[in-house]
Amino acid sequence: MTTAALKDARFWDNIADQYSRKPIADEEAYEIKLSITREYLAPNARIFEFGCGTGSTALRHAPFVGHVDATDISPEMIAIAQQKARTENVSNVDFHTGDIAEMDVEGESYDAVLGLSILHLLKDREAVIRKVHHMLKPGGVFVTSTACLGDNQSYLSPILSLMRWIGKAPFVSVFTQDDLISQHNQADFQIVHQWHPKKDAALFLIARKMED
């Protein structure tokens, strides 16, 4: 893991317990996203989630798929997720620490990849989107929910940079919804579902890897 990634991992480690107890900001939107995602899943599907945090979403999807591999750069987040899986007696989710940017993943090995509330936290978002395309089977889907701060909140960029410098925030990239959609298109994804619940909310996308 790079020095920058280790710094971000420590940030998330420090707030993991607090994060796990924090209520979902928009419960209704979250439930809608879960429901829409499940329209693209199958009982035998193999799923990968990166930036899984404390595992809540992976565990919610587990009953509807064959297996979930879920990763996060924070060991403390993963420890909480593993405990949740044990408590809920969920056996088809494997949680492990890892950085999607550095992982060597077999091509065409997953039916769906989830990256929720994570793309804006990546230094090389375009490279990760291309990697996800490589990971997916033809016809597989990439499900994301992303804060596109460049549309209405670009003024936050210098504030976030200062907060990261003093250790109070992780790296955050500022870009627009159009930027994100364009990067998906450039990676040969087709957007099949797009939802922006309200101003300043995350952009929810489902993008399909085109079949040959």
Coordinates of all heavy atoms in Angstrom, one line a residue, residues 82-136:
Q82 N -16.3 -8.2 9.8 CA -16.2 -9.6 10.0 C -17.0 -10.0 11.3 O -17.7 -11.0 11.3 CB -14.7 -10.0 10.2 CG -13.9 -9.9 8.9 CD -12.5 -10.0 9.1 OE1 -11.9 -9.7 10.2 NE2 -11.7 -10.5 8.1
Q83 N -17.0 -9.1 12.3 CA -17.8 -9.4 13.5 C -19.3 -9.3 13.2 O -20.1 -10.2 13.7 CB -17.5 -8.4 14.6 CG -18.2 -8.6 15.9 CD -18.0 -10.0 16.4 OE1 -16.8 -10.4 16.6 NE2 -19.1 -10.7 16.7
K84 N -19.7 -8.4 12.3 CA -21.1 -8.3 11.9 C -21.5 -9.6 11.2 O -22.6 -10.2 11.5 CB -21.3 -7.2 10.9 CG -21.4 -5.8 11.6 CD -21.7 -4.8 10.5 CE -21.7 -3.4 11.0 NZ -22.0 -2.4 9.9
A85 N -20.6 -10.1 10.3 CA -21.0 -11.4 9.6 C -21.1 -12.5 10.6 O -22.0 -13.4 10.4 CB -19.9 -11.6 8.6
R86 N -20.3 -12.6 11.5 CA -20.4 -13.7 12.5 C -21.6 -13.5 13.4 O -22.4 -14.5 13.6 CB -19.1 -13.7 13.5 CG -17.9 -14.1 12.8 CD -16.8 -14.4 13.8 NE -16.3 -13.1 14.4 CZ -15.3 -12.4 13.9 NH1 -14.7 -12.8 12.8 NH2 -14.9 -11.3 14.5
T87 N -22.0 -12.3 13.8 CA -23.1 -12.1 14.6 C -24.4 -12.4 13.8 O -25.4 -13.0 14.4 CB -23.2 -10.6 15.0 OG1 -22.0 -10.3 15.8 CG2 -24.4 -10.3 15.8
E88 N -24.4 -12.1 12.5 CA -25.6 -12.3 11.7 C -25.6 -13.7 11.0 O -26.5 -14.1 10.3 CB -25.7 -11.3 10.6 CG -25.9 -9.9 11.2 CD -25.9 -8.8 10.1 OE1 -26.2 -9.1 9.0 OE2 -25.6 -7.6 10.4
N89 N -24.5 -14.5 11.3 CA -24.4 -15.9 10.8 C -24.4 -15.9 9.3 O -25.1 -16.7 8.7 CB -25.5 -16.8 11.4 CG -25.1 -18.2 11.2 OD1 -24.0 -18.6 11.2 ND2 -26.2 -19.1 11.1
V90 N -23.7 -14.9 8.7 CA -23.6 -14.9 7.2 C -22.3 -15.5 6.8 O -21.2 -15.1 7.2 CB -23.6 -13.4 6.7 CG1 -23.5 -13.3 5.2 CG2 -24.9 -12.7 7.1
S91 N -22.4 -16.6 5.9 CA -21.3 -17.4 5.6 C -20.8 -17.2 4.1 O -19.7 -17.7 3.8 CB -21.6 -18.9 5.8 OG -22.7 -19.3 5.0
N92 N -21.5 -16.4 3.3 CA -21.2 -16.3 1.9 C -20.5 -14.9 1.6 O -20.5 -14.5 0.5 CB -22.3 -16.6 1.0 CG -23.4 -15.5 1.1 OD1 -23.6 -14.9 2.2 ND2 -24.2 -15.3 0.1
V93 N -20.0 -14.2 2.6 CA -19.3 -13.0 2.4 C -17.9 -13.1 3.0 O -17.8 -13.5 4.2 CB -20.0 -11.8 3.1 CG1 -19.3 -10.5 2.8 CG2 -21.4 -11.7 2.5
D94 N -16.9 -12.8 2.2 CA -15.5 -12.8 2.7 C -15.1 -11.4 2.8 O -15.0 -10.7 1.8 CB -14.6 -13.6 1.8 CG -14.8 -15.1 2.0 OD1 -15.2 -15.5 3.1 OD2 -14.5 -15.8 1.0
F95 N -14.7 -10.9 4.0 CA -14.2 -9.5 4.2 C -12.7 -9.6 4.3 O -12.2 -10.4 5.1 CB -14.8 -8.9 5.4 CG -16.3 -8.5 5.3 CD1 -17.2 -9.3 6.0 CD2 -16.7 -7.4 4.5 CE1 -18.6 -9.0 5.9 CE2 -18.0 -7.1 4.5 CZ -19.0 -7.9 5.1
H96 N -12.0 -8.7 3.6 CA -10.5 -8.7 3.8 C -10.0 -7.3 3.4 O -10.6 -6.6 2.7 CB -9.8 -9.8 2.9 CG -10.2 -9.8 1.5 ND1 -11.3 -10.4 1.0 CD2 -9.6 -9.2 0.4 CE1 -11.3 -10.2 -0.3 NE2 -10.3 -9.5 -0.7
T97 N -8.9 -7.0 4.0 CA -8.2 -5.7 3.8 C -7.5 -5.7 2.5 O -6.8 -6.6 2.1 CB -7.2 -5.4 4.9 OG1 -7.8 -5.5 6.2 CG2 -6.6 -4.0 4.8
G98 N -7.7 -4.6 1.7 CA -7.1 -4.4 0.5 C -7.4 -3.1 -0.2 O -8.4 -2.5 0.1
D99 N -6.5 -2.7 -1.1 CA -6.6 -1.5 -1.8 C -6.9 -1.8 -3.3 O -6.0 -2.4 -4.0 CB -5.3 -0.7 -1.7 CG -5.3 0.7 -2.4 OD1 -6.3 0.9 -3.1 OD2 -4.4 1.4 -2.3
I100 N -8.1 -1.5 -3.8 CA -8.5 -1.8 -5.2 C -7.4 -1.4 -6.2 O -7.2 -2.0 -7.2 CB -9.9 -1.2 -5.5 CG1 -10.3 -1.6 -6.9 CG2 -9.9 0.3 -5.3 CD1 -10.6 -3.1 -7.1
A101 N -6.8 -0.2 -5.9 CA -5.8 0.3 -6.9 C -4.6 -0.6 -7.0 O -3.9 -0.6 -8.1 CB -5.3 1.7 -6.4
E102 N -4.3 -1.5 -6.0 CA -3.1 -2.3 -6.0 C -3.4 -3.8 -6.2 O -2.5 -4.6 -6.3 CB -2.3 -2.1 -4.8 CG -1.8 -0.6 -4.6 CD -1.0 -0.4 -3.3 OE1 -0.7 -1.5 -2.6 OE2 -0.7 0.7 -3.0
M103 N -4.7 -4.1 -6.2 CA -5.0 -5.6 -6.3 C -4.8 -6.1 -7.7 O -5.0 -5.4 -8.7 CB -6.5 -5.7 -5.9 CG -6.8 -5.5 -4.5 SD -8.6 -5.7 -4.2 CE -8.7 -5.3 -2.5
D104 N -4.4 -7.4 -7.7 CA -4.3 -8.1 -9.0 C -5.5 -9.1 -9.0 O -5.5 -10.1 -8.3 CB -2.9 -8.9 -9.0 CG -2.7 -9.6 -10.4 OD1 -3.5 -9.3 -11.3 OD2 -1.8 -10.4 -10.4
V105 N -6.5 -8.7 -9.8 CA -7.7 -9.5 -9.8 C -7.9 -10.2 -11.2 O -7.7 -9.6 -12.2 CB -8.9 -8.6 -9.5 CG1 -10.2 -9.4 -9.5 CG2 -8.7 -7.9 -8.2
E106 N -8.3 -11.4 -11.2 CA -8.5 -12.2 -12.4 C -9.5 -11.5 -13.3 O -10.6 -11.1 -12.8 CB -8.9 -13.6 -12.1 CG -9.1 -14.5 -13.3 CD -9.5 -15.9 -12.9 OE1 -9.6 -16.2 -11.7 OE2 -9.8 -16.7 -13.8
G107 N -9.3 -11.5 -14.6 CA -10.3 -10.9 -15.5 C -11.5 -11.7 -15.6 O -11.5 -12.9 -15.5
E108 N -12.6 -11.0 -15.9 CA -13.9 -11.6 -16.1 C -14.3 -12.6 -15.1 O -14.8 -13.7 -15.3 CB -14.0 -12.3 -17.5 CG -13.7 -11.2 -18.6 CD -14.0 -11.8 -20.0 OE1 -14.3 -13.0 -20.1 OE2 -13.8 -11.0 -21.0
S109 N -14.1 -12.3 -13.8 CA -14.4 -13.2 -12.7 C -15.6 -12.8 -11.8 O -15.9 -13.6 -10.9 CB -13.1 -13.3 -11.8 OG -12.7 -12.0 -11.4
Y110 N -16.2 -11.7 -12.1 CA -17.3 -11.2 -11.2 C -18.5 -10.8 -12.1 O -18.4 -10.3 -13.2 CB -16.9 -10.1 -10.4 CG -16.0 -10.5 -9.2 CD1 -14.6 -10.3 -9.4 CD2 -16.4 -11.0 -8.1 CE1 -13.7 -10.7 -8.4 CE2 -15.6 -11.4 -7.1 CZ -14.2 -11.3 -7.2 OH -13.4 -11.6 -6.2
D111 N -19.7 -11.1 -11.5 CA -20.9 -10.7 -12.2 C -21.3 -9.3 -11.9 O -22.0 -8.6 -12.7 CB -22.1 -11.6 -11.7 CG -21.8 -13.1 -12.1 OD1 -21.9 -13.4 -13.3 OD2 -21.5 -13.9 -11.2
A112 N -20.9 -8.8 -10.8 CA -21.2 -7.4 -10.4 C -20.0 -6.9 -9.5 O -19.5 -7.7 -8.7 CB -22.5 -7.3 -9.7
V113 N -19.7 -5.6 -9.6 CA -18.8 -5.0 -8.7 C -19.4 -3.7 -8.2 O -20.1 -3.0 -8.9 CB -17.5 -4.6 -9.5 CG1 -16.5 -3.7 -8.6 CG2 -16.7 -5.8 -10.0
L114 N -19.3 -3.6 -6.9 CA -19.9 -2.4 -6.2 C -18.8 -1.5 -5.7 O -17.8 -2.0 -5.0 CB -20.8 -2.9 -5.0 CG -22.2 -3.4 -5.2 CD1 -22.2 -4.6 -6.2 CD2 -22.9 -3.8 -3.9
G115 N -19.0 -0.2 -5.9 CA -18.1 0.8 -5.4 C -18.9 2.0 -4.9 O -19.2 2.9 -5.6
L116 N -19.3 1.9 -3.6 CA -20.3 2.8 -3.1 C -19.7 3.8 -2.2 O -19.0 3.4 -1.2 CB -21.4 2.0 -2.4 CG -22.1 0.9 -3.2 CD1 -22.9 0.0 -2.3 CD2 -22.9 1.5 -4.3
S117 N -19.9 5.1 -2.5 CA -19.3 6.2 -1.7 C -17.8 6.1 -1.6 O -17.1 6.3 -0.6 CB -19.9 6.2 -0.3 OG -21.2 6.4 -0.3
I118 N -17.1 5.7 -2.8 CA -15.7 5.5 -2.8 C -15.0 6.1 -4.0 O -13.8 6.5 -3.8 CB -15.4 3.9 -2.7 CG1 -13.9 3.6 -2.6 CG2 -16.0 3.2 -4.0 CD1 -13.3 4.1 -1.4
L119 N -15.6 6.3 -5.1 CA -14.9 6.7 -6.3 C -14.3 8.1 -6.1 O -13.2 8.4 -6.6 CB -15.8 6.7 -7.5 CG -16.2 5.4 -8.1 CD1 -17.0 5.5 -9.4 CD2 -14.9 4.5 -8.4
H120 N -15.0 9.0 -5.3 CA -14.4 10.3 -5.1 C -13.3 10.3 -4.1 O -12.7 11.4 -3.8 CB -15.6 11.3 -4.6 CG -16.3 10.7 -3.4 ND1 -17.2 9.7 -3.5 CD2 -16.3 11.1 -2.1 CE1 -17.7 9.5 -2.3 NE2 -17.1 10.3 -1.4
L121 N -13.0 9.2 -3.5 CA -11.9 9.1 -2.5 C -10.7 8.4 -3.1 O -9.7 8.2 -2.4 CB -12.3 8.2 -1.3 CG -13.6 8.7 -0.6 CD1 -13.9 7.7 0.6 CD2 -13.4 10.1 0.0
L122 N -10.7 8.2 -4.5 CA -9.6 7.6 -5.1 C -8.7 8.6 -5.9 O -9.2 9.5 -6.5 CB -10.1 6.5 -6.2 CG -11.0 5.4 -5.6 CD1 -11.5 4.5 -6.7 CD2 -10.3 4.6 -4.5
K123 N -7.4 8.4 -5.8 CA -6.5 9.3 -6.5 C -6.5 9.0 -8.0 O -6.4 10.0 -8.8 CB -5.1 9.1 -6.0 CG -4.8 9.8 -4.7 CD -3.4 9.8 -4.3 CE -3.1 10.6 -3.1 NZ -3.4 12.0 -3.3
D124 N -6.7 7.8 -8.5 CA -6.7 7.5 -9.9 C -8.0 6.8 -10.2 O -8.0 5.5 -10.4 CB -5.5 6.6 -10.3 CG -5.3 6.6 -11.8 OD1 -6.3 7.0 -12.6 OD2 -4.2 6.2 -12.3
R125 N -9.1 7.5 -10.2 CA -10.4 7.0 -10.4 C -10.5 6.3 -11.8 O -11.1 5.2 -11.9 CB -11.4 8.1 -10.3 CG -12.9 7.8 -10.5 CD -13.7 9.0 -10.3 NE -13.4 10.1 -11.2 CZ -12.7 11.1 -10.9 NH1 -12.1 11.3 -9.7 NH2 -12.4 12.1 -11.8
E126 N -10.0 6.9 -12.8 CA -10.1 6.3 -14.2 C -9.4 4.9 -14.2 O -10.0 4.0 -14.9 CB -9.4 7.3 -15.2 CG -10.1 8.6 -15.3 CD -9.5 9.7 -14.4 OE1 -8.9 9.3 -13.4 OE2 -9.6 10.9 -14.8
A127 N -8.3 4.8 -13.6 CA -7.6 3.5 -13.6 C -8.5 2.4 -12.9 O -8.5 1.3 -13.4 CB -6.2 3.6 -13.0
V128 N -9.1 2.8 -11.8 CA -9.9 1.8 -11.1 C -11.2 1.5 -11.9 O -11.6 0.3 -12.0 CB -10.3 2.4 -9.7 CG1 -11.4 1.5 -9.1 CG2 -9.1 2.5 -8.8
I129 N -11.8 2.4 -12.6 CA -12.9 2.1 -13.4 C -12.5 1.1 -14.5 O -13.3 0.2 -14.8 CB -13.5 3.4 -14.0 CG1 -14.1 4.3 -12.9 CG2 -14.6 3.1 -15.1 CD1 -14.6 5.6 -13.4
R130 N -11.3 1.3 -15.1 CA -10.9 0.4 -16.1 C -10.6 -1.0 -15.5 O -10.9 -2.0 -16.2 CB -9.6 0.9 -16.8 CG -9.8 2.2 -17.7 CD -8.6 2.4 -18.6 NE -7.4 2.7 -17.8 CZ -7.1 4.0 -17.3 NH1 -7.8 5.0 -17.6 NH2 -6.0 4.1 -16.6
K131 N -10.1 -1.0 -14.3 CA -9.8 -2.3 -13.7 C -11.1 -3.0 -13.4 O -11.2 -4.3 -13.6 CB -9.1 -2.1 -12.3 CG -8.8 -3.4 -11.6 CD -8.0 -3.2 -10.3 CE -6.5 -3.0 -10.7 NZ -5.7 -3.0 -9.4
V132 N -12.1 -2.3 -13.0 CA -13.4 -3.0 -12.7 C -14.0 -3.6 -14.0 O -14.5 -4.7 -14.1 CB -14.4 -1.9 -12.2 CG1 -15.9 -2.5 -12.2 CG2 -14.0 -1.5 -10.8
H133 N -13.8 -2.8 -15.1 CA -14.2 -3.4 -16.4 C -13.5 -4.7 -16.7 O -14.1 -5.7 -17.2 CB -13.9 -2.4 -17.5 CG -14.5 -2.7 -18.9 ND1 -13.8 -3.5 -19.8 CD2 -15.7 -2.3 -19.5 CE1 -14.6 -3.7 -20.9 NE2 -15.7 -3.0 -20.7
H134 N -12.2 -4.8 -16.4 CA -11.5 -6.0 -16.6 C -12.0 -7.1 -15.7 O -12.0 -8.3 -16.1 CB -10.0 -5.7 -16.3 CG -9.1 -6.9 -16.2 ND1 -8.7 -7.6 -17.3 CD2 -8.6 -7.6 -15.1 CE1 -8.0 -8.7 -16.9 NE2 -7.9 -8.6 -15.6
M135 N -12.4 -6.8 -14.5 CA -12.8 -7.8 -13.5 C -14.2 -8.4 -13.9 O -14.5 -9.6 -13.5 CB -13.0 -7.1 -12.1 CG -11.6 -6.7 -11.5 SD -11.9 -5.6 -10.1 CE -12.8 -6.7 -9.0
L136 N -15.0 -7.7 -14.6 CA -16.4 -8.1 -14.8 C -16.5 -9.1 -16.0 O -15.8 -8.9 -17.0 CB -17.3 -6.9 -15.1 CG -17.7 -6.0 -13.9 CD1 -18.3 -4.7 -14.4 CD2 -18.7 -6.8 -13.0

